[in-house]
Amino acid sequence: MIKATFRMIVCKGRDQLKKMRQANLIVARVLEHLGQLIKPGVTTADLDLVAEDMIREAGGVPAFKGYQGFPASVCASVNEQIVHGIPNGRPLKAGDIISLDVGVKWKGFYGDSAQTFPVGKISAELHKLLKVTEESLFKGIEQMVLGNRVSDISASVQKHVEKNGFSVVKEFVGHGIGQHLHEDPQIPNFGRPGHGPRLREGMVFAIEPMVNSKGPGAKILKDRWTAVTIDGGYSAHFEHSVAVTKDGPWILSQLN
Ligand code: MG
Ligand code: MG
């Protein structure tokens, strides 16, 4: 007997999308608020506490806390850290960049979004890294229309990043999201267009380019969570949870 690997993409109905919108609005408000708090001297542990309070006050649950043993409510990744940084007591410095990734479960549905913020004044090169990474996220989102395929998103992200002289991380990928934080399909930030499942109404994907200022290589630190660049280059991360609708992509984690 042949055992097939069965992959299934769950399409969400209208009521489910409404719940996902609410979960993602909590995420969006938390990210906006944390962004206002970021300045030299603040620690990522401070930000984590604020985030957890806000999420619980909104009736949600921090999705990352306890996920496969992750010890905090948000992922906080500074400078050469790519993703999955653990909040700690080290103060942020002017010139740093900090990627905050926030996940919320609300009434059984998940929201997931990330953003990289400057701390004080940053260099022109880092400013460009943040801008290009965010632009590449929106290049990917533009591809989330009926009839396109998953790798159209991937190819579009990669093209924009590489055209601007940066590199995409290949070890970590975007993902479907819904009643689980990570659902099928996986959405790499690289690849040739025209491959993978066709996009259908009600699919919801977390698109999340991770972009390095130098080479694409990544490794995991001894804490078993923090992913960093191998060559010490800086890294940025922008993510939105987005639904495919017949009217085009609906960015669930965007305010208003
Ligand atoms: Mg995330
Ligand atoms: Mg994600």
Side-chain angles (χ1 to χ4, degrees):
M1 201 173 80
I2 298 166
K3 257 191 186 172
T5 312
F6 190 71
R7 293 199 153 268
M8 195 174 73
I9 303 175
V10 180
C11 293
K12 284 79 182 175
R14 173 185 281 271
D15 289 346
Q16 295 177 315
L17 287 181
K18 280 185 183 164
K19 286 183 182 156
M20 293 197 70
R21 170 64 169 159
Q22 290 309 312
N24 276 290
L25 272 178
I26 299 171
V27 172
R29 287 176 189 132
V30 169
L31 272 173
E32 186 193 43
H33 185 59
L34 295 182
Q36 290 165 353
L37 300 178
I38 289 171
K39 60 180 183 187
V42 169
T43 73
T44 50
D46 297 335
L47 298 173
D48 185 61
L49 287 177
V50 171
E52 177 161 4
D53 280 350
M54 261 188 93
I55 292 167
R56 294 197 190 279
E57 220 154 273
V61 177
F64 303 157
K65 196 159 200 178
Y67 182 83
Q68 293 181 3
F70 190 78
S73 293
V74 303
C75 297
S77 310
V78 179
N79 295 342
E80 79 287 355
Q81 299 177 348
I82 301 169
V83 285
H84 305 158
I86 300 171
N88 61 38
R90 207 175 317 122
L92 295 169
K93 302 187 308 292
D96 286 346
I97 56 171
I98 173 168
S99 302
L100 293 175
D101 194 344
V102 178
V104 167
K105 187 180 189 185
W106 186 83
K107 296 201 175 169
F109 287 85
Y110 284 89
D112 187 8
S113 181
Q115 195 175 330
T116 303
F117 299 89
V119 182
K121 193 170 162 48
I122 58 171
S123 68
E125 171 74 0
L126 284 181
H127 180 78
K128 183 184 171 193
L129 176 69
L130 270 50
K131 181 168 172 280
V132 168
T133 306
E134 187 171 22
E135 285 168 356
S136 74
L137 167 60
F138 282 91
K139 294 282 182 191
I141 291 171
E142 277 172 20
Q143 296 296 319
M144 287 188 64
V145 292
L146 294 177
N148 269 5
R149 292 182 184 270
V150 164
S151 84
D152 294 328
I153 302 167
S154 312
S156 196
V157 169
Q158 181 179 28
K159 187 176 163 200
H160 188 69
V161 169
E162 294 182 350
K163 191 175 80 182
N164 282 282
F166 298 128
S167 55
V168 290
V169 173
K170 300 197 168 65
E171 284 84 349
F172 303 96
V173 297
H175 50 93
I177 182 168
Q179 285 175 286
H180 303 275
L181 179 59
H182 296 119
E183 299 185 355
D184 286 334
Q186 293 198 344
I187 303 161
N189 294 301
F190 63 95
R192 289 183 300 129
H195 294 267
R198 270 195 204 285
L199 305 189
R200 288 190 290 140
E201 201 175 341
M203 289 182 175
V204 186
F205 300 158
I207 311 291
E208 49 179 317
M210 288 145 265
V211 175
N212 294 351
S213 64
K214 296 186 194 170
K219 64 177 181 184
I220 310 265
L221 296 183
K222 284 206 189 88
D223 65 15
R224 298 189 303 122
W225 280 105
T226 314
V228 299
T229 60
I230 283 175
D231 57 18
Y234 282 51
S235 191
H237 180 210
F238 282 81
E239 175 181 31
H240 273 308
S241 295
V242 186
V244 177
T245 80
K246 58 182 189 311
D247 304 317
W250 179 17
I251 305 175
L252 301 172
S253 50
Q254 190 162 259
L255 289 174
N256 64 59

